[in-house]
Amino acid sequence: MSILDLAFQNIVSPMVLFFALGVAAALIRSDLSVPEAAAKLLALYLMLAIGFKGGAEVAKSGVDAAMALTIGAGILLSFSIPVIGYALLRLTTRLSGVDAAAVAGHYGSISIVTFVAATEALKSLGLAYEGYLIAVAAVMETPAIIAALLLARRGAPAEAGGESTSALLREVATNGSVVVLVGSFLIGWATGAEGMAMIAPFIVDPFRGILCLFLLDMGLVAGRGLRQGGRSLSPALIGFGIYFPLLSAALTGLMALGLGLSVGGTALLITLAASASYIAVPAAMRLALPEANPAIYLTLSLGVTFPFNLTLGIPLYAALAQRIAG
Amino acid sequence: MEMHPKKRIDIVLEAPVLKRLTDLLDRLDVTGYTVLPVLGGKGHHGVWSREGLPSSAGAMVSVTVIAAEENLDAVLEPVFALVKRHIGIVTVSDVAVLRSDRF
């Protein structure tokens, strides 16, 4: 299948169309909304389901050296991507040191929903992937936050303040999304195929529908963010939200050459590196770097990079993975 | 009915910082506090709403503390030191309570 076919098939999937519906509803100022508690529950469901599936997959395939190697690569990527992003932001935009560090941290960390959408795209292409990529996703959440904090302290020590790193690390490590993702992964691993058979009607069958509902909500939040926070984004910054994921994808593609992952696994690792967080990292940044403007990093991550990855990025990453590991 | 004058401290604060604030209040000499969700509003950064947010970033909460007047500075100073770098509003007002020994 050509990249264009892949992109078209992805764009007309119900998931992407529901996201587009959400954006459109926000832009025409519809009163359509999802209550905050429901949005949190939907996110929790998606993380529980994807974590459990990954764990059950590892129970079936077993642990090998490639798993440890890929987890190591994930940590390295999460830590190094913000450093590159920070340097590019300082060179190409007028962002302050603290704002640049906060934005860079979002891009080093991951978006689990982009990952989930990529697994669905791979499924429709008939591509399997290694279950332990879920564990890789979980370990990639945090190093980027530490990198952002270090970059902010280096770039603007006065603004970055005297945040206690150990207190922040404790808060980040016990972050609800990390706990549910890792916990579900371990439960899936421990209970394996039997556990999967028991709860499949809850975590497999309704999965796509619930993903659609969540993406509708993300579209609403992204559209609202663009309407209200769009003014905070300069053309150079919007450009960063699109070219930087591609740069991270290329870097990860090179790294993946030595990891021995399947095509699906390579596509997911690339997607993880190219995605930007909009759940865990914004909350951590409010604690660690309160001087950074949330309208910039939230709007860029959720309003620019997430839609780009969802529509064009994922097919591109799948095509890149086919070239590398196919 | 006999009423007793007290000070009411209202802190409208961004949600990610809530735990740090309540941990601090637990260590201070206050007898309690009340946490309320805040639906939305408008401030320096424009209109905001907590609807549909999957992350606590972007949401706000309100914390109310009732304190005796002589304790006001002892509560307010560490609270302000914590919240001054964050998005929020701190106000102090005069209130009357029925049961003075509770605060």
Side-chain angles (χ1 to χ4, degrees):
Chain A
M1 194 183 285
S2 76
I3 295 181
L4 277 179
D5 290 336
L6 214 68
F8 182 72
Q9 188 186 323
N10 189 51
I11 286 171
V12 296
S13 69
M15 276 78 82
V16 175
L17 292 176
F18 272 107
F19 179 81
L21 175 64
V23 173
L27 293 179
I28 61 167
R29 296 171 183 263
S30 160
D31 64 354
L32 177 63
S33 71
V34 175
E36 183 204 13
K40 288 211 164 109
L41 183 67
L42 294 175
L44 204 60
Y45 168 86
L46 293 175
M47 287 185 277
L48 183 151
I50 197 79
F52 192 95
K53 283 182 207 172
E57 203 58 47
V58 169
K60 199 161 66 181
S61 64
V63 178
D64 54 15
M67 174 172 164
L69 207 60
T70 313
I71 288 177
I75 294 172
L76 187 65
L77 283 167
S78 176
F79 204 83
S80 53
I81 288 172
V83 179
I84 305 168
Y86 178 82
L88 283 171
L89 284 167
R90 293 293 272 168
L91 271 175
T92 60
T93 69
R94 290 183 177 180
L95 286 191
S96 69
V98 169
D99 279 328
V103 170
H106 284 71
Y107 284 79
S109 188
I110 58 117
S111 150
I112 199 70
V113 183
T114 311
F115 178 86
V116 166
T119 61
E120 287 303 311
L122 292 179
K123 203 187 281 176
S124 60
L125 290 171
L127 293 172
Y129 61 90
E130 291 81 356
Y132 58 74
L133 262 301
I134 302 296
V136 179
V139 299
M140 285 179 79
E141 290 241 29
T142 321
I145 298 171
I146 301 162
L149 199 59
L150 295 176
L151 286 165
R153 285 200 181 150
R154 194 176 154 273
E159 275 182 87
E163 176 65 40
S164 149
T165 311
S166 63
L168 179 73
L169 281 182
R170 202 170 42 247
E171 278 159 332
V172 168
T174 55
N175 175 285
S177 59
V178 175
V179 171
V180 74
L181 198 61
V182 175
S184 309
F185 177 80
L186 294 175
I187 294 170
W189 192 354
T191 58
E194 207 176 306
M196 182 53 124
M198 235 182 258
I199 62 167
F202 175 65
I203 65 165
V204 178
D205 301 340
F207 189 77
R208 283 185 170 173
I210 290 175
L211 181 58
C212 286
L213 191 55
F214 186 74
L215 287 174
L216 172 71
D217 179 41
M218 286 304 93
L220 286 165
V221 177
R224 202 169 68 205
L226 283 174
R227 216 179 62 217
Q228 289 158 359
R231 274 164 292 143
S232 325
L233 303 184
S234 65
L237 206 48
I238 294 171
F240 176 88
I242 291 167
Y243 77 73
F244 192 64
L246 296 173
L247 194 68
S248 303
L251 185 74
T252 313
L254 284 177
M255 199 182 249
L257 285 171
L259 294 175
L261 289 168
S262 65
V263 174
T266 305
L268 287 185
L269 186 65
I270 293 173
T271 304
L272 283 174
S275 67
S277 170
Y278 55 80
I279 297 181
V281 180
M285 285 303 136
R286 291 316 303 146
L287 285 170
L289 301 172
E291 287 78 10
N293 182 357
I296 295 175
Y297 54 70
L298 264 177
T299 314
L300 192 62
S301 169
L302 186 55
V304 178
T305 301
F306 180 63
F308 170 72
N309 277 334
L310 197 60
T311 51
L312 298 173
I314 290 172
L316 275 173
Y317 308 146
L320 180 62
Q322 267 163 346
R323 297 275 184 288
I324 292 167
Chain B
M1 187 177 278
E2 192 187 1
M3 304 288 276
H4 308 274
K6 296 286 174 191
K7 292 290 181 183
R8 172 178 165 153
I9 307 167
D10 285 297
I11 308 147
V12 179
L13 184 67
E14 47 185 334
V17 195
L18 175 65
K19 191 170 176 304
R20 286 189 184 183
L21 177 63
T22 53
D23 284 350
L24 173 69
L25 291 173
D26 289 340
R27 291 196 300 273
L28 293 175
D29 189 20
V30 295
T31 52
Y33 49 82
T34 306
V35 181
L36 298 166
V38 180
L39 293 177
K42 186 178 178 184
H44 283 293
H45 296 285
V47 177
W48 62 271
S49 161
R50 69 186 295 155
E51 268 180 5
L53 293 178
S55 165
S56 61
M60 305 282 283
V61 287
S62 176
V63 180
T64 300
V65 185
I66 309 285
E69 187 160 7
E70 57 272 24
N71 282 345
L72 183 64
D73 282 348
V75 177
L76 211 49
E77 278 168 18
V79 164
F80 190 64
L82 172 72
V83 304
K84 67 181 177 187
R85 293 173 68 208
H86 294 278
I87 300 168
I89 307 164
V90 181
T91 57
V92 178
S93 48
D94 292 312
V95 289
V97 299
L98 293 175
R99 295 178 289 190
S100 180
D101 54 320
R102 295 284 178 109
F103 305 96

